[in-house]
Amino acid sequence: AQSVAQPEDQVNVAEGNPLTVKCTYSVSGNPYLFWYVQYPNRGLQFLLKYITGDNLVKGSYGFEAEFNKSQTSFHLKKPSALVSDSALYFCAVRDMSWSSASKIIFGSGTRLSIRP
Amino acid sequence: GVTQSPTHLIKTRGQQVTLRCSSQSGHNTVSWYQQALGQGPQFIFQYYREEENGRGNFPPRFSGLQFPNDSSELNVNALELDDSALYLCASSLLNEKLFFGSGTQLSVL
């Protein structure tokens, strides 16, 4: 079964510092990975995805993610954090076991808090 | 974008509820997710061209409809206390990234 794990419930970073939000995955076959962000009282917003190709994926709002096959990780990164980056971040994987449906499996989420 | 209504809803145990979603124009796929407090969203089911074509681990009292006019519904019968959650609708072109609505917060008392 496909799954993702986010080992940190909360990450605290000072504004201007680099940030990393961790994610590990377990899939059969090639992974199709995502990061989504959720702001208070809002739905989830797509940040980036990895299907194949370059291991460093660039996404929205200056975020990027590094795919590491040997460590089965897909960590979200940003070189310089902003207070406005404070939100709930979800790692997700597409369940490829179904040929006609695209079921997304989400992790439990990591709350990112950026202090001024 | 994707819009959902109502934004908040309070029901009592045993009642039935209908949640509505308007997909992004041109999207042929709508999926519904349940997000309990402090957890990630869980896949309920997906509709493609007005037919259910994938379902998560939810009982049959969770059902849905997709209409030709980019609208869809999630129906839940015989509500239970554990059904209290944020329900998210997402539209997409099949196998592409999801566009989520802001959700309906359902409270079952």
Side-chain angles (χ1 to χ4, degrees), chain A residues 5 13 35-36 41 49 53 55 70-71 79 83 85 92 110 115:
Chain A
V13 178
W35 276 99
Y36 282 84
N41 302 316
K49 68 179 179 183
N55 289 341
S70 63
Q71 297 185 4
V83 172
D85 292 330
T110 297
R115 60 184 183 274

Side-chain angles (χ1 to χ4, degrees), chain A residues 1-13:
Chain A
Q2 327 272 4
S3 66
V4 290
Q6 295 181 244
E8 302 157 316
D9 291 335
Q10 175 134 359
V11 171
N12 299 307
V13 178

Side-chain angles (χ1 to χ4, degrees), chain B residues 7-65:
Chain B
T7 54
H8 295 84
L9 200 54
I10 299 175
K11 291 286 188 178
T12 56
R13 192 171 50 184
Q15 285 189 312
Q16 179 267 343
V17 68
T18 297
L19 310 182
R20 292 180 172 82
C21 173
S22 178
S23 299
Q24 187 156 316
S25 179
H27 284 181
N28 55 16
T29 304
V30 64
S31 49
W32 287 88
Y33 287 80
Q34 181 195 67
Q35 186 178 13
L37 190 64
Q39 298 182 20
Q42 292 199 354
F43 178 79
I44 302 175
F45 46 53
Q46 175 179 283
Y47 279 77
Y48 173 65
R49 294 183 176 176
E50 301 162 42
E51 290 191 7
E52 182 182 307
N53 76 335
R55 190 176 188 92
N57 190 25
F58 281 81
R61 60 189 184 84
F62 285 78
S63 63
L65 288 170

Side-chain angles (χ1 to χ4, degrees), chain A residues 36 38 43 94 98 100-102, chain B residues 35 46 53 55 95 98 101:
Chain A
Y36 282 84
Q38 187 174 34
R94 172 164 291 154
W98 295 352
S100 62
S102 51
Chain B
Q35 186 178 13
Q46 175 179 283
N53 76 335
R55 190 176 188 92
N95 294 332
L98 302 178

Side-chain angles (χ1 to χ4, degrees), chain B residues 89-104:
Chain B
C89 166
S91 73
S92 65
L93 294 171
L94 191 63
N95 294 332
E96 291 297 323
K97 69 183 182 184
L98 302 178
F99 291 81
F100 282 87
S102 297
T104 294

Side-chain angles (χ1 to χ4, degrees), chain A residues 5 32-33 51 84 100 103:
Chain A
Y32 196 148
L33 298 161
I51 306 173
S84 58
S100 62
K103 170 184 173 182

